[in-house]
Amino acid sequence: MTGELLALCSALFYGLAGVTISRGKTDSRGDNGVFLSVIVTCVLTLGLWSLWGRASLPELITWDQVPALGLFALAGVFSTVLGRTTMYRATERIGAVKAALFRRLIPVFALPCAFLLLGEWPGPRVLTGGAIIMLGVLCYQLLPRQVSLARNLAGDLIGITSALFYALAYAFRRMGLEGIPDPLFGTFVGAVVGLAWFSTVAAVSKAPAGAFRRLVIDRGAWHWASALSLGIGQTLQFFALSLVPVSTVAVLGALDLFFSAAFIALFLKGERIDTWRLGLAGGLALLGSTILFS
């Protein structure tokens, strides 16, 4: 029961993060706290790895481990850099609930990624679950347009791209785990890559001072809330995975969609939610996740 409760709390924090990202955009003068969230994730994963890591740093930093370290770094580019940035931008454009629904596409995109990179051929059950998740996303697309079509379309594409980036990150991380079976260390490496990436891009820009200021200027309450929610959600998810099967965590993780809707009712009065379609789309996403990971 403890593992299930941790997975549920993880979904709650991920749902909260989507709402705080939307709310933080109002006061944003830079990147809306993306870089801040990377720093928080780096600190949390470093602390967890130092306490529960399976191997010490000298054992991991060797020539034999270079391929695995490279795969962890590549996973960091797709998750901490590309995936997280597009997740923020999609949430700002299309809202927390719809962005959360697009995250249900991660396991769908993971199927072709696993086939191409790992040689894993999906079976009928996996294909059925993925199709049901896709149907749930299409159902929610029937919601009336709140803003211009071009703005919605751009936000939708960013949300879909974010799910693809995360799916690629999972595949590369799994490949890296074959060489270094320490998921905490792999996650920490990805966070460090994110810090290095954003810092380097700022340093080589035409106006480095302004670029660095844009990275660190957003430190308001909502930005800290987003960073901490993402970091805590990821941390709780790790503990849940250490106690219960991946299938249980994955299914309960689909509930972040409903947590986002609940928090919107509290914090984002202006974002309209069609309760009936949300229930239909979320139910299909949950059913598809259950089939996919059972």
Side-chain angles (χ1 to χ4, degrees), residues 1-12 236-255 259:
M1 187 64 181
T2 301
E4 289 84 353
L5 182 59
L6 290 173
L8 189 64
C9 290
S10 174
L12 185 149
L236 291 174
Q237 189 177 75
F238 160 72
F239 282 111
L241 287 169
S242 68
L243 296 171
V244 294
V246 174
S247 58
T248 301
V249 178
V251 171
L252 290 174
L255 297 176
F259 284 124

Side-chain angles (χ1 to χ4, degrees), residues 66-205:
V66 168
L69 289 171
L71 289 167
F72 283 150
L74 194 57
V77 171
F78 280 106
S79 61
T80 310
V81 178
L82 300 177
R84 185 165 298 191
T85 301
T86 50
M87 181 191 73
Y88 266 74
R89 302 292 88 89
T91 303
E92 293 166 356
R93 283 176 172 266
I94 61 179
V97 171
K98 200 172 184 181
L101 189 62
F102 277 127
R103 286 199 293 275
R104 304 281 68 78
L105 292 177
I106 293 176
V108 177
F109 285 128
L111 301 181
C113 291
F115 173 70
L116 294 174
L117 297 174
L118 302 170
E120 296 180 354
W121 183 262
R125 173 180 54 79
V126 176
L127 293 175
T128 301
I132 293 175
I133 293 174
M134 182 67 73
L135 179 60
V137 173
L138 292 177
C139 285
Y140 202 82
Q141 287 294 92
L142 297 176
L143 278 171
R145 299 297 184 185
Q146 301 299 311
V147 290
S148 69
L149 178 62
R151 181 176 174 84
N152 266 327
L153 179 59
D156 291 350
L157 292 176
I158 294 172
I160 294 170
T161 302
S162 179
L164 175 59
F165 285 148
Y166 276 115
L168 284 167
Y170 293 162
F172 285 121
R173 186 170 294 163
R174 178 170 177 180
M175 293 169 67
L177 288 171
E178 295 178 2
I180 301 178
D182 191 334
L184 274 178
F185 178 72
T187 306
F188 171 64
V189 170
V192 171
V193 168
L195 288 177
W197 178 289
F198 288 114
S199 299
T200 301
V201 170
V204 300
S205 65

Side-chain angles (χ1 to χ4, degrees), residues 4-111:
E4 289 84 353
L5 182 59
L6 290 173
L8 189 64
C9 290
S10 174
L12 185 149
F13 277 102
Y14 274 117
L16 176 61
V19 177
T20 54
I21 289 170
S22 292
R23 183 61 181 82
K25 181 60 179 177
T26 305
D27 305 321
S28 174
R29 292 177 292 168
D31 66 352
N32 196 15
V34 175
F35 189 68
L36 178 64
S37 75
V38 175
I39 294 175
V40 170
T41 300
C42 188
V43 172
L44 282 174
T45 53
L46 174 60
L48 286 173
W49 174 66
S50 64
L51 293 173
W52 289 287
R54 298 178 181 176
S56 62
L57 190 60
E59 294 174 313
L60 296 170
I61 307 299
T62 65
W63 285 111
D64 293 338
Q65 306 293 7
V66 168
L69 289 171
L71 289 167
F72 283 150
L74 194 57
V77 171
F78 280 106
S79 61
T80 310
V81 178
L82 300 177
R84 185 165 298 191
T85 301
T86 50
M87 181 191 73
Y88 266 74
R89 302 292 88 89
T91 303
E92 293 166 356
R93 283 176 172 266
I94 61 179
V97 171
K98 200 172 184 181
L101 189 62
F102 277 127
R103 286 199 293 275
R104 304 281 68 78
L105 292 177
I106 293 176
V108 177
F109 285 128
L111 301 181

